């Protein structure tokens, strides 16, 4: 399985303290499939970090994947995906 795409977000976070993305979206073939805010997570970010750090040490630059907003759907060859996370950047990919 290929690794998920990541940005230089961690480097920026290390320089200026923890900066959480606020709003994200994913469009599939121009149609919005997911739109969310970090405040919509079931558990608060501080609680997630606290709990995980009890199982393994967390270091600057570590990434915690928490899931996705409602609306995920399977992608098929030919689909074009566009995603954006505020203060992080955008990603545009075509499924082959």
């Amino acid at each position: 399985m290929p690794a998920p795409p990541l940005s230089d977000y961690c480097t920026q976070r290390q320089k200026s303290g923890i900066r959480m993305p606020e709003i994200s979206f994913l469009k599939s073939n121009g149609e919005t499939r997911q739109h969310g805010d970090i405040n919509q997570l079931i558990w608060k970010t501080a609680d997630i970090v606290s709990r995980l750090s009890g199982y393994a040490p967390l270091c600057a630059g570590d990434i915690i994947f928490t899931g996705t907003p409602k609306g995920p759907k399977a992608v098929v060859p030919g689909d074009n995906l566009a995603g954006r996370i505020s203060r992080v950047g955008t990603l545009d990919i075509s499924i082959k």
Side-chain angles (χ1 to χ4, degrees), residues 46-82:
D47 295 338
I48 294 169
V49 171
S50 176
R51 183 77 182 245
L52 289 176
S53 66
Y55 295 104
L58 297 175
C59 301
D62 284 351
I63 306 252
I64 299 172
F65 289 94
T66 59
T68 65
K70 66 180 179 178
K73 181 181 173 187
V75 294
V76 297
D79 281 352
N80 294 301
L81 305 177

Side-chain angles (χ1 to χ4, degrees), residues 23-86:
I23 298 174
S24 63
F25 72 79
L26 175 68
K27 291 185 178 184
S28 176
N29 302 317
E31 179 184 346
T32 299
R33 290 278 177 209
Q34 296 178 301
H35 186 271
D37 185 294
I38 196 150
N39 294 322
Q40 294 172 317
L41 290 171
I42 295 171
W43 294 285
K44 299 293 180 207
T45 306
D47 295 338
I48 294 169
V49 171
S50 176
R51 183 77 182 245
L52 289 176
S53 66
Y55 295 104
L58 297 175
C59 301
D62 284 351
I63 306 252
I64 299 172
F65 289 94
T66 59
T68 65
K70 66 180 179 178
K73 181 181 173 187
V75 294
V76 297
D79 281 352
N80 294 301
L81 305 177
R84 173 154 179 72
I85 299 177
S86 65

